Amino acid sequence: VWDAQTYSLKATLTGHNDLVLSVVWSPDGRSIVSGSSDKTIRVWDAQTCSLKATLMGHNDWVYSVVWSPDGRYIVSGSWDKTIRVWDAQTYSLKATVTGHNDAVLSVVWSPDGRYIVSGSRDGTIMVSDLKINQGAVFTGHNDAVESVVWSPDGRYCFWEC
């Protein structure tokens, strides 16, 4: 953790047993979540830099993690081809989303918190609506979709290959 004003090191968070592949702050700034090739997700207290929880359930690398806009959930995308939704208070698994045929490389929530968009190594993008437990898979890319993002107003979604 680096101080953005002084560019000095504030703390080093240790606990993963392999590469850290994704890190993101909670919307309220109180927690940090990280995903790793050790197949775990770790939740950290941003003030004390101490470990709050280790989330286990993926069978392969956790390549992407993100908080829901309201901070109630954490979503993870993995090389095990799944997206998992975790309760950010109890740290329990709430849902497992399938539909990709290869590794999930990127996950993002829509600004309104209704949809999750994921990009996969199989070249597909999936939009999942957790309220009705349905999703749509979009094809057409010739290579992996490595990054997905929503516009701040929620009207557009962008992905890159």
Side-chain angles (χ1 to χ4, degrees), residues 100 105-108 115-121 123-128 136-151 154-161:
H100 287 296
L105 302 177
S106 183
V107 291
V108 66
Y115 303 101
I116 297 169
V117 171
S118 54
S120 173
R121 206 169 91 159
T124 64
I125 296 112
M126 188 166 61
V127 180
S128 303
V137 177
F138 297 92
T139 61
H141 289 283
N142 296 322
D143 208 341
V145 178
E146 296 181 4
S147 182
V148 291
V149 66
W150 284 92
S151 63
R155 293 180 53 205
Y156 304 99
C157 188
F158 175 79
W159 40 82
E160 79 171 351
C161 304

PDB file of all heavy atoms in Angstrom, residues 100 105-108 115-121 123-128 136-151 154-161:
ATOM      1  N   HIS A 100     -18.936 -19.384 -19.330  1.00  0.00           N
ATOM      2  CA  HIS A 100     -17.731 -19.263 -20.154  1.00  0.00           C
ATOM      3  C   HIS A 100     -17.115 -20.649 -20.352  1.00  0.00           C
ATOM      4  O   HIS A 100     -17.230 -21.518 -19.485  1.00  0.00           O
ATOM      5  CB  HIS A 100     -16.709 -18.336 -19.497  1.00  0.00           C
ATOM      6  CG  HIS A 100     -17.081 -16.890 -19.538  1.00  0.00           C
ATOM      7  ND1 HIS A 100     -17.202 -16.170 -20.706  1.00  0.00           N
ATOM      8  CD2 HIS A 100     -17.366 -16.011 -18.533  1.00  0.00           C
ATOM      9  CE1 HIS A 100     -17.529 -14.918 -20.423  1.00  0.00           C
ATOM     10  NE2 HIS A 100     -17.636 -14.802 -19.108  1.00  0.00           N
ATOM     11  N   LEU A 105     -11.214 -13.656 -17.253  1.00  0.00           N
ATOM     12  CA  LEU A 105     -10.070 -12.754 -17.091  1.00  0.00           C
ATOM     13  C   LEU A 105     -10.434 -11.413 -16.470  1.00  0.00           C
ATOM     14  O   LEU A 105      -9.573 -10.727 -15.932  1.00  0.00           O
ATOM     15  CB  LEU A 105      -9.405 -12.517 -18.447  1.00  0.00           C
ATOM     16  CG  LEU A 105      -8.903 -13.763 -19.173  1.00  0.00           C
ATOM     17  CD1 LEU A 105      -8.347 -13.387 -20.537  1.00  0.00           C
ATOM     18  CD2 LEU A 105      -7.876 -14.496 -18.342  1.00  0.00           C
ATOM     19  N   SER A 106     -11.700 -11.022 -16.543  1.00  0.00           N
ATOM     20  CA  SER A 106     -12.097  -9.721 -16.033  1.00  0.00           C
ATOM     21  C   SER A 106     -13.560  -9.755 -15.621  1.00  0.00           C
ATOM     22  O   SER A 106     -14.385 -10.346 -16.312  1.00  0.00           O
ATOM     23  CB  SER A 106     -11.883  -8.651 -17.111  1.00  0.00           C
ATOM     24  OG  SER A 106     -12.183  -7.368 -16.629  1.00  0.00           O
ATOM     25  N   VAL A 107     -13.864  -9.137 -14.484  1.00  0.00           N
ATOM     26  CA  VAL A 107     -15.248  -8.978 -14.030  1.00  0.00           C
ATOM     27  C   VAL A 107     -15.464  -7.537 -13.582  1.00  0.00           C
ATOM     28  O   VAL A 107     -14.547  -6.900 -13.080  1.00  0.00           O
ATOM     29  CB  VAL A 107     -15.611  -9.944 -12.876  1.00  0.00           C
ATOM     30  CG1 VAL A 107     -15.659 -11.385 -13.368  1.00  0.00           C
ATOM     31  CG2 VAL A 107     -14.650  -9.819 -11.706  1.00  0.00           C
ATOM     32  N   VAL A 108     -16.685  -7.039 -13.782  1.00  0.00           N
ATOM     33  CA  VAL A 108     -17.035  -5.688 -13.362  1.00  0.00           C
ATOM     34  C   VAL A 108     -18.536  -5.618 -13.102  1.00  0.00           C
ATOM     35  O   VAL A 108     -19.318  -6.301 -13.758  1.00  0.00           O
ATOM     36  CB  VAL A 108     -16.595  -4.637 -14.418  1.00  0.00           C
ATOM     37  CG1 VAL A 108     -17.350  -4.771 -15.703  1.00  0.00           C
ATOM     38  CG2 VAL A 108     -16.678  -3.229 -13.866  1.00  0.00           C
ATOM     39  N   TYR A 115     -26.011  -5.697 -12.867  1.00  0.00           N
ATOM     40  CA  TYR A 115     -25.374  -6.619 -13.799  1.00  0.00           C
ATOM     41  C   TYR A 115     -23.897  -6.830 -13.471  1.00  0.00           C
ATOM     42  O   TYR A 115     -23.236  -5.939 -12.971  1.00  0.00           O
ATOM     43  CB  TYR A 115     -25.463  -6.087 -15.230  1.00  0.00           C
ATOM     44  CG  TYR A 115     -26.869  -5.826 -15.688  1.00  0.00           C
ATOM     45  CD1 TYR A 115     -27.383  -4.532 -15.697  1.00  0.00           C
ATOM     46  CD2 TYR A 115     -27.690  -6.867 -16.114  1.00  0.00           C
ATOM     47  CE1 TYR A 115     -28.669  -4.278 -16.109  1.00  0.00           C
ATOM     48  CE2 TYR A 115     -28.989  -6.617 -16.531  1.00  0.00           C
ATOM     49  CZ  TYR A 115     -29.476  -5.321 -16.533  1.00  0.00           C
ATOM     50  OH  TYR A 115     -30.754  -5.078 -16.931  1.00  0.00           O
ATOM     51  N   ILE A 116     -23.427  -8.004 -13.819  1.00  0.00           N
ATOM     52  CA  ILE A 116     -21.998  -8.294 -13.816  1.00  0.00           C
ATOM     53  C   ILE A 116     -21.620  -8.598 -15.254  1.00  0.00           C
ATOM     54  O   ILE A 116     -22.284  -9.388 -15.924  1.00  0.00           O
ATOM     55  CB  ILE A 116     -21.659  -9.509 -12.938  1.00  0.00           C
ATOM     56  CG1 ILE A 116     -22.026  -9.241 -11.478  1.00  0.00           C
ATOM     57  CG2 ILE A 116     -20.181  -9.875 -13.063  1.00  0.00           C
ATOM     58  CD1 ILE A 116     -21.957 -10.465 -10.606  1.00  0.00           C
ATOM     59  N   VAL A 117     -20.567  -7.963 -15.732  1.00  0.00           N
ATOM     60  CA  VAL A 117     -20.035  -8.273 -17.056  1.00  0.00           C
ATOM     61  C   VAL A 117     -18.705  -8.958 -16.858  1.00  0.00           C
ATOM     62  O   VAL A 117     -17.902  -8.566 -16.012  1.00  0.00           O
ATOM     63  CB  VAL A 117     -19.877  -7.006 -17.919  1.00  0.00           C
ATOM     64  CG1 VAL A 117     -19.122  -7.306 -19.202  1.00  0.00           C
ATOM     65  CG2 VAL A 117     -21.231  -6.421 -18.253  1.00  0.00           C
ATOM     66  N   SER A 118     -18.484  -9.998 -17.640  1.00  0.00           N
ATOM     67  CA  SER A 118     -17.227 -10.738 -17.550  1.00  0.00           C
ATOM     68  C   SER A 118     -16.651 -10.949 -18.935  1.00  0.00           C
ATOM     69  O   SER A 118     -17.383 -11.090 -19.917  1.00  0.00           O
ATOM     70  CB  SER A 118     -17.456 -12.094 -16.863  1.00  0.00           C
ATOM     71  OG  SER A 118     -18.485 -12.812 -17.509  1.00  0.00           O
ATOM     72  N   GLY A 119     -15.326 -10.954 -18.997  1.00  0.00           N
ATOM     73  CA  GLY A 119     -14.610 -11.241 -20.225  1.00  0.00           C
ATOM     74  C   GLY A 119     -13.798 -12.499 -20.032  1.00  0.00           C
ATOM     75  O   GLY A 119     -13.278 -12.757 -18.944  1.00  0.00           O
ATOM     76  N   SER A 120     -13.715 -13.304 -21.091  1.00  0.00           N
ATOM     77  CA  SER A 120     -13.085 -14.613 -20.964  1.00  0.00           C
ATOM     78  C   SER A 120     -12.013 -14.853 -22.020  1.00  0.00           C
ATOM     79  O   SER A 120     -12.016 -14.242 -23.085  1.00  0.00           O
ATOM     80  CB  SER A 120     -14.159 -15.700 -21.078  1.00  0.00           C
ATOM     81  OG  SER A 120     -13.585 -16.992 -21.128  1.00  0.00           O
ATOM     82  N   ARG A 121     -11.154 -15.772 -21.685  1.00  0.00           N
ATOM     83  CA  ARG A 121     -10.121 -16.223 -22.615  1.00  0.00           C
ATOM     84  C   ARG A 121     -10.733 -16.910 -23.829  1.00  0.00           C
ATOM     85  O   ARG A 121     -10.089 -17.028 -24.868  1.00  0.00           O
ATOM     86  CB  ARG A 121      -9.172 -17.169 -21.881  1.00  0.00           C
ATOM     87  CG  ARG A 121      -7.786 -17.212 -22.489  1.00  0.00           C
ATOM     88  CD  ARG A 121      -6.856 -17.923 -21.584  1.00  0.00           C
ATOM     89  NE  ARG A 121      -6.842 -19.336 -21.937  1.00  0.00           N
ATOM     90  CZ  ARG A 121      -5.886 -20.174 -21.634  1.00  0.00           C
ATOM     91  NH1 ARG A 121      -4.862 -19.762 -20.928  1.00  0.00           N
ATOM     92  NH2 ARG A 121      -5.941 -21.418 -21.999  1.00  0.00           N
ATOM     93  N   GLY A 123     -12.932 -15.665 -25.643  1.00  0.00           N
ATOM     94  CA  GLY A 123     -13.339 -14.624 -26.578  1.00  0.00           C
ATOM     95  C   GLY A 123     -14.774 -14.162 -26.394  1.00  0.00           C
ATOM     96  O   GLY A 123     -15.283 -13.413 -27.226  1.00  0.00           O
ATOM     97  N   THR A 124     -15.435 -14.581 -25.325  1.00  0.00           N
ATOM     98  CA  THR A 124     -16.818 -14.173 -25.095  1.00  0.00           C
ATOM     99  C   THR A 124     -16.918 -13.147 -23.975  1.00  0.00           C
ATOM    100  O   THR A 124     -16.045 -13.049 -23.119  1.00  0.00           O
ATOM    101  CB  THR A 124     -17.717 -15.369 -24.734  1.00  0.00           C
ATOM    102  OG1 THR A 124     -17.286 -15.934 -23.485  1.00  0.00           O
ATOM    103  CG2 THR A 124     -17.694 -16.427 -25.820  1.00  0.00           C
ATOM    104  N   ILE A 125     -18.012 -12.413 -24.027  1.00  0.00           N
ATOM    105  CA  ILE A 125     -18.403 -11.496 -22.966  1.00  0.00           C
ATOM    106  C   ILE A 125     -19.729 -12.003 -22.445  1.00  0.00           C
ATOM    107  O   ILE A 125     -20.606 -12.377 -23.229  1.00  0.00           O
ATOM    108  CB  ILE A 125     -18.570 -10.053 -23.491  1.00  0.00           C
ATOM    109  CG1 ILE A 125     -17.230  -9.517 -23.993  1.00  0.00           C
ATOM    110  CG2 ILE A 125     -19.120  -9.138 -22.414  1.00  0.00           C
ATOM    111  CD1 ILE A 125     -17.225  -9.328 -25.457  1.00  0.00           C
ATOM    112  N   MET A 126     -19.891 -12.037 -21.136  1.00  0.00           N
ATOM    113  CA  MET A 126     -21.154 -12.470 -20.562  1.00  0.00           C
ATOM    114  C   MET A 126     -21.703 -11.355 -19.680  1.00  0.00           C
ATOM    115  O   MET A 126     -20.973 -10.771 -18.881  1.00  0.00           O
ATOM    116  CB  MET A 126     -20.958 -13.756 -19.754  1.00  0.00           C
ATOM    117  CG  MET A 126     -22.254 -14.362 -19.280  1.00  0.00           C
ATOM    118  SD  MET A 126     -22.082 -16.070 -18.686  1.00  0.00           S
ATOM    119  CE  MET A 126     -20.954 -15.868 -17.322  1.00  0.00           C
ATOM    120  N   VAL A 127     -22.988 -11.076 -19.858  1.00  0.00           N
ATOM    121  CA  VAL A 127     -23.693 -10.121 -19.008  1.00  0.00           C
ATOM    122  C   VAL A 127     -24.643 -10.942 -18.146  1.00  0.00           C
ATOM    123  O   VAL A 127     -25.515 -11.630 -18.666  1.00  0.00           O
ATOM    124  CB  VAL A 127     -24.474  -9.077 -19.827  1.00  0.00           C
ATOM    125  CG1 VAL A 127     -25.200  -8.112 -18.899  1.00  0.00           C
ATOM    126  CG2 VAL A 127     -23.543  -8.326 -20.766  1.00  0.00           C
ATOM    127  N   SER A 128     -24.461 -10.884 -16.838  1.00  0.00           N
ATOM    128  CA  SER A 128     -25.268 -11.672 -15.903  1.00  0.00           C
ATOM    129  C   SER A 128     -26.156 -10.749 -15.077  1.00  0.00           C
ATOM    130  O   SER A 128     -25.684  -9.771 -14.503  1.00  0.00           O
ATOM    131  CB  SER A 128     -24.370 -12.470 -14.962  1.00  0.00           C
ATOM    132  OG  SER A 128     -23.508 -13.307 -15.702  1.00  0.00           O
ATOM    133  N   ALA A 136     -26.530 -13.473 -20.589  1.00  0.00           N
ATOM    134  CA  ALA A 136     -26.408 -13.547 -22.040  1.00  0.00           C
ATOM    135  C   ALA A 136     -24.933 -13.581 -22.383  1.00  0.00           C
ATOM    136  O   ALA A 136     -24.132 -12.853 -21.792  1.00  0.00           O
ATOM    137  CB  ALA A 136     -27.083 -12.341 -22.689  1.00  0.00           C
ATOM    138  N   VAL A 137     -24.567 -14.429 -23.322  1.00  0.00           N
ATOM    139  CA  VAL A 137     -23.183 -14.556 -23.763  1.00  0.00           C
ATOM    140  C   VAL A 137     -23.073 -13.951 -25.157  1.00  0.00           C
ATOM    141  O   VAL A 137     -23.870 -14.262 -26.042  1.00  0.00           O
ATOM    142  CB  VAL A 137     -22.721 -16.035 -23.771  1.00  0.00           C
ATOM    143  CG1 VAL A 137     -21.296 -16.147 -24.308  1.00  0.00           C
ATOM    144  CG2 VAL A 137     -22.822 -16.637 -22.375  1.00  0.00           C
ATOM    145  N   PHE A 138     -22.094 -13.068 -25.326  1.00  0.00           N
ATOM    146  CA  PHE A 138     -21.863 -12.414 -26.605  1.00  0.00           C
ATOM    147  C   PHE A 138     -20.573 -12.959 -27.212  1.00  0.00           C
ATOM    148  O   PHE A 138     -19.549 -13.037 -26.531  1.00  0.00           O
ATOM    149  CB  PHE A 138     -21.761 -10.902 -26.413  1.00  0.00           C
ATOM    150  CG  PHE A 138     -23.028 -10.296 -25.887  1.00  0.00           C
ATOM    151  CD1 PHE A 138     -23.212 -10.152 -24.524  1.00  0.00           C
ATOM    152  CD2 PHE A 138     -24.032  -9.899 -26.752  1.00  0.00           C
ATOM    153  CE1 PHE A 138     -24.386  -9.610 -24.021  1.00  0.00           C
ATOM    154  CE2 PHE A 138     -25.212  -9.361 -26.264  1.00  0.00           C
ATOM    155  CZ  PHE A 138     -25.383  -9.218 -24.897  1.00  0.00           C
ATOM    156  N   THR A 139     -20.648 -13.328 -28.475  1.00  0.00           N
ATOM    157  CA  THR A 139     -19.503 -13.902 -29.188  1.00  0.00           C
ATOM    158  C   THR A 139     -19.079 -12.945 -30.302  1.00  0.00           C
ATOM    159  O   THR A 139     -19.756 -11.969 -30.590  1.00  0.00           O
ATOM    160  CB  THR A 139     -19.862 -15.276 -29.779  1.00  0.00           C
ATOM    161  OG1 THR A 139     -20.947 -15.103 -30.706  1.00  0.00           O
ATOM    162  CG2 THR A 139     -20.267 -16.254 -28.698  1.00  0.00           C
ATOM    163  N   GLY A 140     -17.960 -13.269 -30.948  1.00  0.00           N
ATOM    164  CA  GLY A 140     -17.515 -12.497 -32.084  1.00  0.00           C
ATOM    165  C   GLY A 140     -16.061 -12.078 -32.018  1.00  0.00           C
ATOM    166  O   GLY A 140     -15.472 -11.735 -33.035  1.00  0.00           O
ATOM    167  N   HIS A 141     -15.477 -12.108 -30.829  1.00  0.00           N
ATOM    168  CA  HIS A 141     -14.059 -11.768 -30.720  1.00  0.00           C
ATOM    169  C   HIS A 141     -13.208 -12.937 -31.197  1.00  0.00           C
ATOM    170  O   HIS A 141     -13.584 -14.093 -31.056  1.00  0.00           O
ATOM    171  CB  HIS A 141     -13.696 -11.413 -29.273  1.00  0.00           C
ATOM    172  CG  HIS A 141     -14.264 -10.120 -28.829  1.00  0.00           C
ATOM    173  ND1 HIS A 141     -13.746  -8.913 -29.190  1.00  0.00           N
ATOM    174  CD2 HIS A 141     -15.340  -9.840 -28.051  1.00  0.00           C
ATOM    175  CE1 HIS A 141     -14.467  -7.944 -28.656  1.00  0.00           C
ATOM    176  NE2 HIS A 141     -15.441  -8.476 -27.967  1.00  0.00           N
ATOM    177  N   ASN A 142     -12.047 -12.611 -31.742  1.00  0.00           N
ATOM    178  CA  ASN A 142     -11.138 -13.637 -32.241  1.00  0.00           C
ATOM    179  C   ASN A 142     -10.083 -14.043 -31.229  1.00  0.00           C
ATOM    180  O   ASN A 142      -9.259 -14.903 -31.514  1.00  0.00           O
ATOM    181  CB  ASN A 142     -10.446 -13.150 -33.523  1.00  0.00           C
ATOM    182  CG  ASN A 142     -11.444 -12.928 -34.638  1.00  0.00           C
ATOM    183  OD1 ASN A 142     -12.390 -13.696 -34.782  1.00  0.00           O
ATOM    184  ND2 ASN A 142     -11.250 -11.872 -35.401  1.00  0.00           N
ATOM    185  N   ASP A 143     -10.106 -13.413 -30.078  1.00  0.00           N
ATOM    186  CA  ASP A 143      -9.094 -13.692 -29.062  1.00  0.00           C
ATOM    187  C   ASP A 143      -9.702 -13.406 -27.694  1.00  0.00           C
ATOM    188  O   ASP A 143     -10.857 -13.021 -27.573  1.00  0.00           O
ATOM    189  CB  ASP A 143      -7.852 -12.825 -29.305  1.00  0.00           C
ATOM    190  CG  ASP A 143      -6.577 -13.477 -28.793  1.00  0.00           C
ATOM    191  OD1 ASP A 143      -6.664 -14.403 -27.958  1.00  0.00           O
ATOM    192  OD2 ASP A 143      -5.492 -13.044 -29.203  1.00  0.00           O
ATOM    193  N   ALA A 144      -8.896 -13.574 -26.674  1.00  0.00           N
ATOM    194  CA  ALA A 144      -9.343 -13.390 -25.294  1.00  0.00           C
ATOM    195  C   ALA A 144      -9.842 -11.973 -25.047  1.00  0.00           C
ATOM    196  O   ALA A 144      -9.310 -11.007 -25.593  1.00  0.00           O
ATOM    197  CB  ALA A 144      -8.200 -13.695 -24.336  1.00  0.00           C
ATOM    198  N   VAL A 145     -10.866 -11.844 -24.202  1.00  0.00           N
ATOM    199  CA  VAL A 145     -11.348 -10.549 -23.739  1.00  0.00           C
ATOM    200  C   VAL A 145     -10.711 -10.333 -22.374  1.00  0.00           C
ATOM    201  O   VAL A 145     -11.081 -10.973 -21.396  1.00  0.00           O
ATOM    202  CB  VAL A 145     -12.889 -10.512 -23.651  1.00  0.00           C
ATOM    203  CG1 VAL A 145     -13.350  -9.169 -23.126  1.00  0.00           C
ATOM    204  CG2 VAL A 145     -13.499 -10.808 -25.016  1.00  0.00           C
ATOM    205  N   GLU A 146      -9.716  -9.456 -22.327  1.00  0.00           N
ATOM    206  CA  GLU A 146      -8.884  -9.307 -21.139  1.00  0.00           C
ATOM    207  C   GLU A 146      -9.369  -8.263 -20.156  1.00  0.00           C
ATOM    208  O   GLU A 146      -8.954  -8.264 -18.999  1.00  0.00           O
ATOM    209  CB  GLU A 146      -7.452  -8.994 -21.566  1.00  0.00           C
ATOM    210  CG  GLU A 146      -6.836 -10.135 -22.349  1.00  0.00           C
ATOM    211  CD  GLU A 146      -5.414  -9.862 -22.760  1.00  0.00           C
ATOM    212  OE1 GLU A 146      -4.855  -8.801 -22.384  1.00  0.00           O
ATOM    213  OE2 GLU A 146      -4.848 -10.693 -23.468  1.00  0.00           O
ATOM    214  N   SER A 147     -10.242  -7.349 -20.586  1.00  0.00           N
ATOM    215  CA  SER A 147     -10.680  -6.290 -19.694  1.00  0.00           C
ATOM    216  C   SER A 147     -12.078  -5.834 -20.078  1.00  0.00           C
ATOM    217  O   SER A 147     -12.382  -5.701 -21.262  1.00  0.00           O
ATOM    218  CB  SER A 147      -9.697  -5.111 -19.779  1.00  0.00           C
ATOM    219  OG  SER A 147     -10.077  -4.088 -18.894  1.00  0.00           O
ATOM    220  N   VAL A 148     -12.919  -5.615 -19.077  1.00  0.00           N
ATOM    221  CA  VAL A 148     -14.257  -5.074 -19.305  1.00  0.00           C
ATOM    222  C   VAL A 148     -14.480  -3.929 -18.327  1.00  0.00           C
ATOM    223  O   VAL A 148     -13.962  -3.941 -17.214  1.00  0.00           O
ATOM    224  CB  VAL A 148     -15.363  -6.143 -19.136  1.00  0.00           C
ATOM    225  CG1 VAL A 148     -15.292  -7.165 -20.255  1.00  0.00           C
ATOM    226  CG2 VAL A 148     -15.278  -6.831 -17.789  1.00  0.00           C
ATOM    227  N   VAL A 149     -15.260  -2.911 -18.755  1.00  0.00           N
ATOM    228  CA  VAL A 149     -15.528  -1.750 -17.905  1.00  0.00           C
ATOM    229  C   VAL A 149     -16.849  -1.111 -18.330  1.00  0.00           C
ATOM    230  O   VAL A 149     -17.220  -1.162 -19.502  1.00  0.00           O
ATOM    231  CB  VAL A 149     -14.360  -0.732 -17.978  1.00  0.00           C
ATOM    232  CG1 VAL A 149     -14.226  -0.125 -19.351  1.00  0.00           C
ATOM    233  CG2 VAL A 149     -14.487   0.327 -16.913  1.00  0.00           C
ATOM    234  N   TRP A 150     -17.573  -0.558 -17.356  1.00  0.00           N
ATOM    235  CA  TRP A 150     -18.796   0.199 -17.622  1.00  0.00           C
ATOM    236  C   TRP A 150     -18.473   1.679 -17.633  1.00  0.00           C
ATOM    237  O   TRP A 150     -17.598   2.136 -16.896  1.00  0.00           O
ATOM    238  CB  TRP A 150     -19.817  -0.020 -16.496  1.00  0.00           C
ATOM    239  CG  TRP A 150     -20.513  -1.324 -16.534  1.00  0.00           C
ATOM    240  CD1 TRP A 150     -20.120  -2.459 -15.891  1.00  0.00           C
ATOM    241  CD2 TRP A 150     -21.719  -1.653 -17.216  1.00  0.00           C
ATOM    242  NE1 TRP A 150     -21.007  -3.471 -16.129  1.00  0.00           N
ATOM    243  CE2 TRP A 150     -22.002  -3.004 -16.945  1.00  0.00           C
ATOM    244  CE3 TRP A 150     -22.592  -0.945 -18.030  1.00  0.00           C
ATOM    245  CZ2 TRP A 150     -23.124  -3.650 -17.455  1.00  0.00           C
ATOM    246  CZ3 TRP A 150     -23.702  -1.591 -18.547  1.00  0.00           C
ATOM    247  CH2 TRP A 150     -23.953  -2.921 -18.262  1.00  0.00           C
ATOM    248  N   SER A 151     -19.241   2.442 -18.421  1.00  0.00           N
ATOM    249  CA  SER A 151     -19.149   3.895 -18.315  1.00  0.00           C
ATOM    250  C   SER A 151     -19.780   4.310 -16.987  1.00  0.00           C
ATOM    251  O   SER A 151     -20.656   3.609 -16.473  1.00  0.00           O
ATOM    252  CB  SER A 151     -19.872   4.565 -19.490  1.00  0.00           C
ATOM    253  OG  SER A 151     -21.250   4.262 -19.472  1.00  0.00           O
ATOM    254  N   GLY A 154     -23.471   4.152 -16.705  1.00  0.00           N
ATOM    255  CA  GLY A 154     -24.077   2.841 -16.883  1.00  0.00           C
ATOM    256  C   GLY A 154     -24.681   2.584 -18.250  1.00  0.00           C
ATOM    257  O   GLY A 154     -25.247   1.520 -18.490  1.00  0.00           O
ATOM    258  N   ARG A 155     -24.537   3.528 -19.173  1.00  0.00           N
ATOM    259  CA  ARG A 155     -25.157   3.360 -20.497  1.00  0.00           C
ATOM    260  C   ARG A 155     -24.329   2.504 -21.435  1.00  0.00           C
ATOM    261  O   ARG A 155     -24.863   1.943 -22.388  1.00  0.00           O
ATOM    262  CB  ARG A 155     -25.393   4.725 -21.129  1.00  0.00           C
ATOM    263  CG  ARG A 155     -26.450   5.534 -20.369  1.00  0.00           C
ATOM    264  CD  ARG A 155     -26.695   6.874 -20.990  1.00  0.00           C
ATOM    265  NE  ARG A 155     -27.009   6.740 -22.420  1.00  0.00           N
ATOM    266  CZ  ARG A 155     -26.802   7.710 -23.296  1.00  0.00           C
ATOM    267  NH1 ARG A 155     -26.302   8.859 -22.925  1.00  0.00           N
ATOM    268  NH2 ARG A 155     -27.115   7.530 -24.562  1.00  0.00           N
ATOM    269  N   TYR A 156     -23.032   2.403 -21.205  1.00  0.00           N
ATOM    270  CA  TYR A 156     -22.161   1.696 -22.135  1.00  0.00           C
ATOM    271  C   TYR A 156     -21.255   0.733 -21.388  1.00  0.00           C
ATOM    272  O   TYR A 156     -20.852   0.981 -20.265  1.00  0.00           O
ATOM    273  CB  TYR A 156     -21.283   2.691 -22.921  1.00  0.00           C
ATOM    274  CG  TYR A 156     -22.091   3.718 -23.652  1.00  0.00           C
ATOM    275  CD1 TYR A 156     -22.269   4.986 -23.115  1.00  0.00           C
ATOM    276  CD2 TYR A 156     -22.690   3.413 -24.872  1.00  0.00           C
ATOM    277  CE1 TYR A 156     -23.033   5.948 -23.789  1.00  0.00           C
ATOM    278  CE2 TYR A 156     -23.442   4.362 -25.546  1.00  0.00           C
ATOM    279  CZ  TYR A 156     -23.624   5.621 -24.997  1.00  0.00           C
ATOM    280  OH  TYR A 156     -24.364   6.556 -25.648  1.00  0.00           O
ATOM    281  N   CYS A 157     -20.920  -0.336 -22.071  1.00  0.00           N
ATOM    282  CA  CYS A 157     -19.940  -1.284 -21.556  1.00  0.00           C
ATOM    283  C   CYS A 157     -18.867  -1.427 -22.628  1.00  0.00           C
ATOM    284  O   CYS A 157     -19.172  -1.492 -23.815  1.00  0.00           O
ATOM    285  CB  CYS A 157     -20.603  -2.619 -21.265  1.00  0.00           C
ATOM    286  SG  CYS A 157     -19.501  -3.760 -20.420  1.00  0.00           S
ATOM    287  N   PHE A 158     -17.622  -1.464 -22.212  1.00  0.00           N
ATOM    288  CA  PHE A 158     -16.498  -1.531 -23.136  1.00  0.00           C
ATOM    289  C   PHE A 158     -15.623  -2.707 -22.771  1.00  0.00           C
ATOM    290  O   PHE A 158     -15.438  -3.012 -21.596  1.00  0.00           O
ATOM    291  CB  PHE A 158     -15.673  -0.238 -23.062  1.00  0.00           C
ATOM    292  CG  PHE A 158     -14.429  -0.251 -23.896  1.00  0.00           C
ATOM    293  CD1 PHE A 158     -14.502  -0.038 -25.265  1.00  0.00           C
ATOM    294  CD2 PHE A 158     -13.202  -0.495 -23.320  1.00  0.00           C
ATOM    295  CE1 PHE A 158     -13.342  -0.046 -26.038  1.00  0.00           C
ATOM    296  CE2 PHE A 158     -12.036  -0.524 -24.085  1.00  0.00           C
ATOM    297  CZ  PHE A 158     -12.121  -0.285 -25.448  1.00  0.00           C
ATOM    298  N   TRP A 159     -15.092  -3.386 -23.754  1.00  0.00           N
ATOM    299  CA  TRP A 159     -14.158  -4.471 -23.498  1.00  0.00           C
ATOM    300  C   TRP A 159     -13.011  -4.394 -24.483  1.00  0.00           C
ATOM    301  O   TRP A 159     -13.117  -3.807 -25.541  1.00  0.00           O
ATOM    302  CB  TRP A 159     -14.838  -5.829 -23.595  1.00  0.00           C
ATOM    303  CG  TRP A 159     -15.815  -5.945 -24.714  1.00  0.00           C
ATOM    304  CD1 TRP A 159     -15.573  -6.205 -26.025  1.00  0.00           C
ATOM    305  CD2 TRP A 159     -17.236  -5.777 -24.610  1.00  0.00           C
ATOM    306  NE1 TRP A 159     -16.745  -6.210 -26.731  1.00  0.00           N
ATOM    307  CE2 TRP A 159     -17.768  -5.955 -25.903  1.00  0.00           C
ATOM    308  CE3 TRP A 159     -18.097  -5.508 -23.551  1.00  0.00           C
ATOM    309  CZ2 TRP A 159     -19.135  -5.872 -26.157  1.00  0.00           C
ATOM    310  CZ3 TRP A 159     -19.438  -5.414 -23.811  1.00  0.00           C
ATOM    311  CH2 TRP A 159     -19.948  -5.602 -25.106  1.00  0.00           C
ATOM    312  N   GLU A 160     -11.881  -4.979 -24.074  1.00  0.00           N
ATOM    313  CA  GLU A 160     -10.724  -4.987 -24.957  1.00  0.00           C
ATOM    314  C   GLU A 160     -10.162  -6.391 -25.065  1.00  0.00           C
ATOM    315  O   GLU A 160     -10.299  -7.195 -24.158  1.00  0.00           O
ATOM    316  CB  GLU A 160      -9.659  -4.004 -24.492  1.00  0.00           C
ATOM    317  CG  GLU A 160      -8.807  -4.478 -23.357  1.00  0.00           C
ATOM    318  CD  GLU A 160      -7.641  -3.554 -23.080  1.00  0.00           C
ATOM    319  OE1 GLU A 160      -7.385  -2.637 -23.850  1.00  0.00           O
ATOM    320  OE2 GLU A 160      -6.974  -3.784 -22.074  1.00  0.00           O
ATOM    321  N   CYS A 161      -9.589  -6.636 -26.211  1.00  0.00           N
ATOM    322  CA  CYS A 161      -9.014  -7.959 -26.479  1.00  0.00           C
ATOM    323  C   CYS A 161      -7.515  -7.869 -26.547  1.00  0.00           C
ATOM    324  O   CYS A 161      -6.979  -6.831 -26.770  1.00  0.00           O
ATOM    325  CB  CYS A 161      -9.528  -8.490 -27.804  1.00  0.00           C
ATOM    326  SG  CYS A 161     -11.309  -8.561 -27.875  1.00  0.00           S
TER     327      CYS A 161
END
